[in-house]
Amino acid sequence: QSAADHEATMKARAEELKVIAEAKKILMETTSGAVDQTYSLLQKQGIQTVSHLHTGADLANVEVLTLIKKLAREHHSAALAQLASRIGAVLRFGSTAGQDPFAKVKELIQGLIAKLQAEAGSEATEKAYCDEQMAKTEEKKGELEYDISKLTAKLDQSISKSASLKSEVKELQAALAALAKQQAEMDKIRQETHSEYVEAKADLEAGLTGVRKALGVLREYYGSAAAAMLQSNSNLGDDMKQPAMPEAHEKAAGAGTSIIGILEVVESDFAKSLAAEETAEDDAADEYDKISQENKVTKTLKEQDVKYKTAEAKSLDKAISELTSDRETADAELSAVLDYYSKIKERCIAKPETYEQRAARREAEIAGLKEALSILEDETVFMQRGKHGARSHFLGLH
């Protein structure tokens, strides 16, 4: 309190004491007989309490007791209620036991203030501990959940990519198998067609050679016969004038010429067939070589794809194993953190009254007790200054 507040408080208390003193003086001067007749049996229960208010200290003690009872009711405090009970006992019986009630009341209040402050300090330490542990645990929990989320995303992505690569490898291997089958069929067909070509070529060349040889023989033979026939036709007139000669064998030049003509056609056909076979062979060989080269390039590319995709899938499988292990470790760590988080929440949160509420209540209790203590200390100041004069016995003689 400020100095002005202090002076105002002391002035108010002095005025209150003066009023009580004046009232008691009037009562003692005018109602003593009536009191004896009416309240003699109840003196210790009611009026005695008023008669005990001999000094400012007595009034201060009663004011303190009233204040503490009020605090106990407002805050539902068992400690304050117990303190009020003990103060009441001290006020009633302390002086008879040779104790200084005023000092004892101050001691009781100071003791409870110290106790409440110690509890406040302990709870503040606990609150700081809880806040720190809750913050650290929640931070760790958040970090682990984020790490697990990232690991899960990477793991899912790697698993999907690995499965996709393995599927692509299977497709490539199937394509390579189909390509190998196609090439094998082409090789077989090519071998068969080439064999047929070689055989046809040999037959046609042999036939062509035979035809040409036969033509040579026939031309040589039937060529002189034809000339002789022309010569005989030119000498026909002379022969008609001479006697007939005996018939001799003559070459069948006409038939020979027909045969030669036929063989020449055959020679031409054989030559055309040979040329056609050679052309077909060349075209088949070129097409075979072209497709075989394309298949070779395709095979090389697909085999490289299989090699790289297989290697990548293996690398991903290794990464998947590592990621799985990392996630299991993180899961285990998160499980431990969550278990600790549950325990720390149970310790720091699961209470009917929050720390803030308890702190506010305790602060109010301490403030009230300090106010009560201030009342007593103010009275002590007055007593030490010797300013109790009329106040020390303002109610008159016992």
Side-chain angles (χ1 to χ4, degrees), residues 260-278:
I260 290 172
I262 293 171
L263 289 177
E264 287 176 346
V265 172
V266 171
E267 178 191 16
S268 176
D269 290 340
F270 282 1
K272 290 178 180 180
S273 294
L274 181 58
E277 288 290 338
E278 289 176 344

Side-chain angles (χ1 to χ4, degrees), residues 156-197:
D156 291 343
Q157 184 179 4
S158 297
I159 290 173
S160 175
K161 182 64 176 176
S162 177
S164 177
L165 286 171
K166 290 174 181 178
S167 176
E168 291 174 7
V169 167
K170 286 183 179 180
E171 291 177 0
L172 287 169
Q173 289 173 336
L176 284 170
L179 187 65
K181 183 179 179 182
Q182 177 192 17
Q183 187 64 44
E185 292 175 352
M186 285 177 54
D187 292 344
K188 181 180 178 182
I189 293 172
R190 180 68 193 122
Q191 289 175 358
E192 290 176 353
T193 55
H194 182 68
S195 297
E196 292 173 356
Y197 162 73

Side-chain angles (χ1 to χ4, degrees), residues 140-152:
K140 186 63 176 178
K141 173 176 169 287
E143 289 176 357
L144 287 171
E145 288 174 341
Y146 176 72
D147 290 343
I148 290 172
S149 176
K150 285 182 63 178
L151 287 169
T152 300

